[in-house]
Amino acid sequence: MSSIDHIKEPIATELDLFEIKFREAMKSNVALLDTIMTYIVKRKGKQIRPMFVFMSANLFSGINESTYRAASLVELLHTATLVHDDVVDDSDERRGFFSINALWKNKIAVLVGDYLLSKGLLLSVKNKDYHLLEIVSTAVEAMSEGELLQIEKTRNLNLSEDVYFDIIRKKTASLIASCCAIGAASAGASEEDVKKMHLFGEKIGIAFQIKDDLLDYGDDDIGKPTGIDLKEKKLTLPIIYTINNSDKSTRNYIINSIKKHNTDKKRIKYVIDYVNEHDGIAYTRKVMLQYQTEALSIIDSISDKDAAQNLKKLVRFVIERNK
């Protein structure tokens, strides 16, 4: 599998310029806010979302000023949701860094999230990028619905696959779908192609989340199973498939283990082993690869130029990763 730096190479210059423009978009005259904005920029991840925006734009007429604003918009609104998520989850850490609420407390973190949200909205409105704002705002709406749907549906640990896919389509896939659609829209793609790119991103987003599910069971090279999802009482696809294909007593035992004995290492190990031995992992991997195949076929229907190959490499990276 190619490294992320190798995959970035075709758009490395654009990503460097994006970093400058993104920092500019976050600036504030309030010293405290500017300090926090600098901290947020420093703890950036792999830049997967901007990569999807830029590579999607390159499938059409290429990267332009509107594309940079599109990538900044996605990052501003997404970062706002992450800052608020950390407050809701009472989380002290994100990607190995202290969270905003851990360093500056909840009240400031909530206000920072609001500030980022407003900067994203203003960036679009000032430049009359209304079509781009609609794409990303729709994603934020879906993400909020997905989080609330998960809370509502998982209380009783009784999920069907349909509900699971509805949750991850909203909660996770909607954001990657918006990256691909907004990149295409910024490069003047037709309405039909923007819709195709949205569907492409949605399928990749679903595959991405399923991969996360697999990593909790020690998928590929990660080593020992972590069981973190089970300890947090999260029902992921491997466990949902296994529960729905087990006899009543086994199903009740697994659900009881997750609900009331999620800190019991022996019971969690039993659940992980049972899932592995009863095709939960094999089934989940098969579904993930099906989504990947469907996504790549959408790209083939749009373009066969180098930009399409670059995008395919990024797809394989996010799905074949081991962490």
Side-chain angles (χ1 to χ4, degrees), residues 13-117:
T13 304
E14 289 84 353
L15 284 171
D16 288 343
L17 183 54
F18 164 70
E19 286 296 320
I20 296 167
K21 290 177 181 289
F22 181 54
R23 178 69 186 94
E24 194 64 32
M26 297 171 83
K27 269 193 172 172
S28 168
N29 293 324
V30 177
L32 174 61
L33 255 179
D34 209 45
T35 300
I36 296 172
M37 293 304 108
T38 301
Y39 179 73
I40 288 172
V41 170
K42 278 183 180 174
R43 62 174 204 171
K44 70 181 189 319
K46 298 186 182 79
Q47 295 179 301
I48 296 294
R49 286 173 301 277
M51 287 174 74
F52 271 115
V53 174
F54 290 132
M55 288 185 175
S56 296
N58 275 340
L59 283 184
F60 301 95
S61 65
I63 296 164
N64 56 51
E65 280 304 313
S66 178
T67 313
Y68 287 105
R69 292 196 300 271
S72 291
L73 173 60
V74 169
E75 286 295 86
L76 284 164
L77 297 194
H78 178 55
T79 306
T81 64
L82 294 182
V83 171
H84 284 162
D85 280 351
D86 286 341
V87 174
V88 171
D89 297 337
D90 200 20
S91 176
D92 291 335
E93 196 177 288
R94 183 172 287 276
R95 284 201 220 103
F97 290 88
F98 283 116
S99 61
I100 305 300
N101 49 298
L103 292 173
W104 287 282
K105 305 306 176 190
N106 285 349
K107 184 175 181 179
I108 289 175
V110 170
L111 292 169
V112 165
D114 293 346
Y115 174 77
L116 289 164
L117 182 63

Side-chain angles (χ1 to χ4, degrees), residues 158-167 235 237 240 244:
N158 186 18
L159 271 188
S160 66
E161 278 192 33
D162 285 347
V163 171
Y164 164 83
F165 281 112
D166 195 20
I167 289 169
L235 287 190
L237 190 55
I240 290 167
N244 291 338

Side-chain angles (χ1 to χ4, degrees), residues 245-258:
N245 287 276
S246 299
D247 60 72
K248 188 177 179 182
S249 63
T250 303
R251 183 164 58 245
N252 289 340
Y253 182 81
I254 291 173
I255 290 172
N256 189 257
S257 296
I258 298 169

Side-chain angles (χ1 to χ4, degrees), residues 221-287:
D221 303 322
I222 198 171
K224 291 180 182 176
T226 61
I228 290 170
D229 288 338
L230 295 176
K231 289 166 191 167
E232 293 180 355
K233 302 183 183 180
K234 287 182 186 172
L235 287 190
T236 56
L237 190 55
I239 198 81
I240 290 167
Y241 173 82
T242 304
I243 287 172
N244 291 338
N245 287 276
S246 299
D247 60 72
K248 188 177 179 182
S249 63
T250 303
R251 183 164 58 245
N252 289 340
Y253 182 81
I254 291 173
I255 290 172
N256 189 257
S257 296
I258 298 169
K259 193 183 282 189
K260 296 180 180 176
H261 303 278
N262 55 320
T263 57
D264 184 327
K265 289 181 180 177
K266 282 187 179 177
R267 287 188 72 150
I268 292 300
K269 184 181 183 303
Y270 169 84
V271 173
I272 290 172
D273 290 345
Y274 190 89
V275 169
N276 270 288
E277 289 161 12
H278 291 79
D279 297 328
I281 302 303
Y283 171 78
T284 301
R285 190 178 285 116
K286 179 181 159 190
V287 173

